[in-house]
Amino acid sequence: MGLKLREKAASFFFEYDTPRMVLVKNKKVGLIFRLIQLVVLGYIIGWVFLYEKGYQSQDGIISSVSVKLKGLTVTNISGIGPHIWDVADYVFPSQGDSSFVVMTNVIITRGQKQDICPELPDAGQCNNDSDCIQGKYGRQGQGIMTGKCIDFNSNNKTCEIFGWCPVEEDNQIPDPPLLLEAENFTLFIKNSITFPTFKVSRRNLVEDITTSYLKKCTYHKNKDPFCPVFELGYIVKESGQNFSALALKGGVVGITIDWDCDLDWPVTYCKPVYQFHGLYNDDNNVSPGFNFRYAKYYRDNGTDYRTLYKVFGIRFDILVNGKAGKFDIIPTMTTIGSGIGIFGVASIVCDLLLLHFLPRRDYYKQRKFKYAEMRTPVSEKEEASPSSMSNLQNNVMGSQ
């Protein structure tokens, strides 16, 4: 028992076995083998190394965005008269976030106070008091029902409500839009990013941008691709939409800033790329556009009043994407090792052809595999004689 254990231990530590190899001279199989290797080599070099940069380690982006808008326009609304609009009036929110709305159209209801008045026919039409449940409100209603059905006009009766009166009538949207001049307003985007792993920070105000240049430049994707000042009309146009149509009822536009940086080159080559996307589908007539309401409050003779604004506008969402790569020996060795492993596909495919598809496949199997039966001990040394090797070559070549 002890002798067997020593023999097994000696065999384990001091012997080496290697796969048996058979040289097959077959033009078709040899050509297929080299073609597969060439394709694998092209994939590793072209796609994995050059395109995907498999020799680099990657890092994500941390970003901050702030915006400023500039522009003035004048409207002359019936009942209000001439009114000038500046950034404090038409930008929401005012602090310049990465998501903001520029007003392009508006419905103004002045002099509202908390009182009782008839509801609009679309929201509270009735025939008698039983149709108006006291203390309830309709989904489209603008106040709490008092339980009475009263005349709205000579043709319609509606539920009486307690709310801000007179109620807002928003079925007539101004056309053309009141703030159509917003097409010429300018948007200044400031974007700061960092790649924390590589400790690299960048701004979209790249090296070529100076104070004097910033005052006169306007972004153009071909002529001036790094200027951070944009005309709203140009943004909407590049997103594939029409500004006049979008301004009527509002919509949504996405602005993406892409940072794809190869830090094996000088950091000055790390620059942003701007793209614009229309996120509003005007083909759907259900709840079209983008709008919201806000109010300005005041007091007169002890009574609280408000002016209600229903704002139609274009919402701009600024999204920042990016990644950085830099040479690292660990992903490089991992990629090379994976590539070497893929080369084994050529041997597998060629073995399948030889073992299962070529006419002399049975003869190749005899030379490829060594069979041993447990009933008889193997005591002879198996060496291929010159004559047997010559026969192998002749037989395989005969299958071509």
Side-chain angles (χ1 to χ4, degrees), residues 105-173:
N105 211 356
V106 63
I107 296 175
I108 302 176
T109 306
R110 301 176 65 87
Q112 285 188 321
K113 65 176 182 178
Q114 293 195 8
D115 203 351
I116 55 174
C117 55
E119 180 63 273
L120 292 177
D122 292 341
Q125 195 164 9
C126 63
N127 295 316
N128 49 60
D129 292 348
S130 62
D131 296 328
C132 306
I133 303 175
Q134 185 177 3
K136 300 293 184 180
Y137 68 92
R139 177 179 293 184
Q140 306 298 327
Q142 299 187 44
I144 304 298
M145 289 183 284
T146 63
K148 297 180 181 179
C149 183
I150 61 176
D151 292 330
F152 179 80
N153 53 34
S154 58
N155 297 320
N156 295 292
K157 298 182 70 176
T158 62
C159 293
E160 182 185 68
I161 62 168
F162 174 71
W164 288 96
C165 300
V167 294
E168 176 193 56
E169 297 187 40
D170 60 352
N171 54 349
Q172 296 295 326
I173 301 175

Side-chain angles (χ1 to χ4, degrees), residues 5-141:
L5 288 177
R6 286 195 298 270
E7 289 178 352
K8 290 184 179 295
S11 175
F12 178 80
F13 285 106
F14 304 116
E15 292 182 3
Y16 168 73
D17 57 357
T18 183
R20 186 180 186 182
M21 300 184 66
V22 179
L23 177 62
V24 180
K25 291 187 176 182
N26 186 300
K27 293 180 180 180
K28 294 179 181 180
V29 176
L31 182 60
I32 292 172
F33 181 73
R34 296 306 176 192
L35 284 176
I36 294 174
Q37 285 187 326
L38 185 62
V39 170
V40 171
L41 185 63
Y43 164 76
I44 295 170
I45 295 176
W47 178 264
V48 178
F49 270 94
L50 298 182
Y51 186 79
E52 291 290 337
K53 293 181 171 61
Y55 57 88
Q56 293 182 334
S57 60
Q58 303 288 327
D59 189 18
I61 196 172
I62 298 176
S63 171
S64 174
V65 175
S66 63
V67 300
K68 290 183 180 180
L69 281 99
K70 288 188 177 181
L72 295 170
T73 188
V74 178
T75 60
N76 193 354
I77 304 174
S78 177
I80 298 177
H83 183 85
I84 189 166
W85 301 81
D86 62 13
V87 291
D89 300 314
Y90 61 72
V91 179
F92 309 89
S94 58
Q95 66 266 29
D97 201 355
S98 60
S99 180
F100 59 94
V101 178
V102 176
M103 179 195 301
T104 55
N105 211 356
V106 63
I107 296 175
I108 302 176
T109 306
R110 301 176 65 87
Q112 285 188 321
K113 65 176 182 178
Q114 293 195 8
D115 203 351
I116 55 174
C117 55
E119 180 63 273
L120 292 177
D122 292 341
Q125 195 164 9
C126 63
N127 295 316
N128 49 60
D129 292 348
S130 62
D131 296 328
C132 306
I133 303 175
Q134 185 177 3
K136 300 293 184 180
Y137 68 92
R139 177 179 293 184
Q140 306 298 327

Side-chain angles (χ1 to χ4, degrees), residues 50 76 106 122 161 202 206 250 280 304 326 371 375 400:
L50 298 182
N76 193 354
V106 63
D122 292 341
I161 62 168
R202 296 288 288 163
V206 294
Y280 171 63
D304 290 327
K326 196 172 185 179
Y371 297 93
R375 292 175 299 177
Q400 298 182 24

